[in-house]
Amino acid sequence: MTEYSSGAYIVSRKGRRGGRGRDPRRRPNRAAGILVIVLLLLTAGICLLVVFLPEFKISGVGGAADFSGKTFYFLTTGKATDRLAAREQAQYAIERGGAGYIYNDGNYRIVAAAYEREADAKTLASVNADADYFAFSLPSAACDGGDKATLEYLAGELFTVCATAATELDRGNITEASAEYAVCSALDNLAALACSASSERIKSAAAECAYYEIPQGRSVLSYIRYVQVRMLVVMRAALV
């Protein structure tokens, strides 16, 4: 915003000799009026900045991104163009402990799990029939401290907690109760962090990500993987 400075001044003028000079009492009033107008314009400009600046900041306009973004890798077990076929494939993935998340990018992709390292997704895709993987990124975003903390927690600690719980549960090293407790506690932390976010879109997305209710017919392992994939998809939608 360009700042303007204004100073009121009075030029002293004597009336012409023998003539009638201007009334000196009018000059201070005129100068004061100009000053009042300038101050009102400045106040209006400040009010407009207060209203619109947060929107510019959230959308990434006018500043460098505070959240640098992060890329993950989705393991898929198939794809389809027909919704019914996609649901059947998703159900098969669920029965095997996969997320069974139907991701639509022009094709219905059946996502079984999300990984932080490309090598992990690539290895698993190579040893499973009809499996593949693709990169999925959370974009960078200009945001304040509360938004940044929420995004970094979701893309960092929360993702790790879900991944560890799923892996250890799949290996039989922890119980379902322990896995659920770890994941639900981490989701509660996400909801708490989101309270300090200034972006309503990030707040709303975090609330959706934190929802945890296992539907009938789905295992704890499958649902944890589903939650992990869902939270990335939901949060990216809030950032683009």
Side-chain angles (χ1 to χ4, degrees), residues 4 14 30 35 53 60 86 91 104 108 110 116 118 120-121 139 159 184 194 197-198 203 225 240:
Y4 297 90
K14 295 182 179 180
R30 182 180 179 185
L35 180 59
L53 188 58
Q91 184 58 39
N104 188 355
Y108 294 121
I110 313 307
E116 196 169 12
E118 183 179 10
D120 294 335
F159 185 88
C184 288
S198 63
K203 281 185 178 181
R225 285 175 171 157
V240 297

Side-chain angles (χ1 to χ4, degrees), residues 37-78:
I37 292 173
V38 171
L39 290 176
L40 288 174
L41 290 174
L42 287 175
T43 301
I46 293 171
C47 290
L48 288 174
L49 283 178
V50 169
V51 172
F52 292 109
L53 188 58
E55 295 298 326
F56 294 152
K57 192 174 184 181
I58 295 297
S59 61
V61 176
D66 293 321
F67 175 66
S68 58
K70 191 170 182 178
T71 299
F72 299 88
Y73 300 90
F74 284 178
L75 175 69
T76 63
T77 54

Side-chain angles (χ1 to χ4, degrees), residues 79-110:
K79 67 178 180 179
T81 57
D82 179 75
R83 182 72 181 180
L84 180 59
R87 290 180 62 182
E88 291 174 351
Q89 291 186 43
Q91 184 58 39
Y92 181 65
I94 290 170
E95 291 170 357
R96 297 170 62 191
Y101 189 97
I102 301 176
Y103 179 74
N104 188 355
D105 62 355
N107 287 296
Y108 294 121
R109 296 180 182 270
I110 313 307

Side-chain angles (χ1 to χ4, degrees), residues 15-239:
R16 289 179 296 177
R17 186 175 299 176
R20 186 175 179 181
R22 295 183 181 179
D23 187 351
R25 291 175 296 178
R26 297 179 59 188
R27 297 170 194 154
N29 291 337
R30 182 180 179 185
I34 293 173
L35 180 59
V36 168
I37 292 173
V38 171
L39 290 176
L40 288 174
L41 290 174
L42 287 175
T43 301
I46 293 171
C47 290
L48 288 174
L49 283 178
V50 169
V51 172
F52 292 109
L53 188 58
E55 295 298 326
F56 294 152
K57 192 174 184 181
I58 295 297
S59 61
V61 176
D66 293 321
F67 175 66
S68 58
K70 191 170 182 178
T71 299
F72 299 88
Y73 300 90
F74 284 178
L75 175 69
T76 63
T77 54
K79 67 178 180 179
T81 57
D82 179 75
R83 182 72 181 180
L84 180 59
R87 290 180 62 182
E88 291 174 351
Q89 291 186 43
Q91 184 58 39
Y92 181 65
I94 290 170
E95 291 170 357
R96 297 170 62 191
Y101 189 97
I102 301 176
Y103 179 74
N104 188 355
D105 62 355
N107 287 296
Y108 294 121
R109 296 180 182 270
I110 313 307
V111 181
Y115 297 93
E116 196 169 12
R117 299 195 315 157
E118 183 179 10
D120 294 335
K122 186 175 183 179
T123 298
L124 288 167
S126 67
V127 298
N128 286 278
D130 301 320
D132 200 356
Y133 76 95
F134 65 95
F136 185 90
S137 299
L138 293 179
S140 59
C143 52
D144 66 9
D147 297 330
K148 181 181 179 181
T150 302
L151 293 170
E152 289 188 341
Y153 180 78
L154 180 142
E157 185 175 341
L158 176 55
F159 185 88
T160 299
V161 168
C162 291
T164 301
T167 299
E168 294 303 302
L169 182 58
D170 192 28
R171 292 174 178 173
N173 294 333
I174 60 175
T175 65
E176 290 185 336
S178 297
E180 277 198 272
Y181 180 78
V183 171
C184 288
S185 296
L187 292 174
D188 287 343
N189 290 338
L190 174 68
L193 278 172
C195 291
S196 63
S198 63
S199 167
E200 291 301 323
R201 295 186 67 181
I202 290 177
K203 281 185 178 181
S204 178
E208 185 175 350
C209 293
Y211 177 79
Y212 188 97
E213 184 68 36
I214 301 180
Q216 187 175 3
R218 187 189 283 266
S219 68
V220 173
L221 175 61
S222 171
Y223 191 66
I224 288 175
R225 285 175 171 157
Y226 176 86
V227 166
Q228 190 177 26
V229 174
R230 181 190 66 192
M231 70 186 192
L232 297 177
V233 175
V234 169
M235 191 55 74
R236 187 171 83 165
L239 295 175

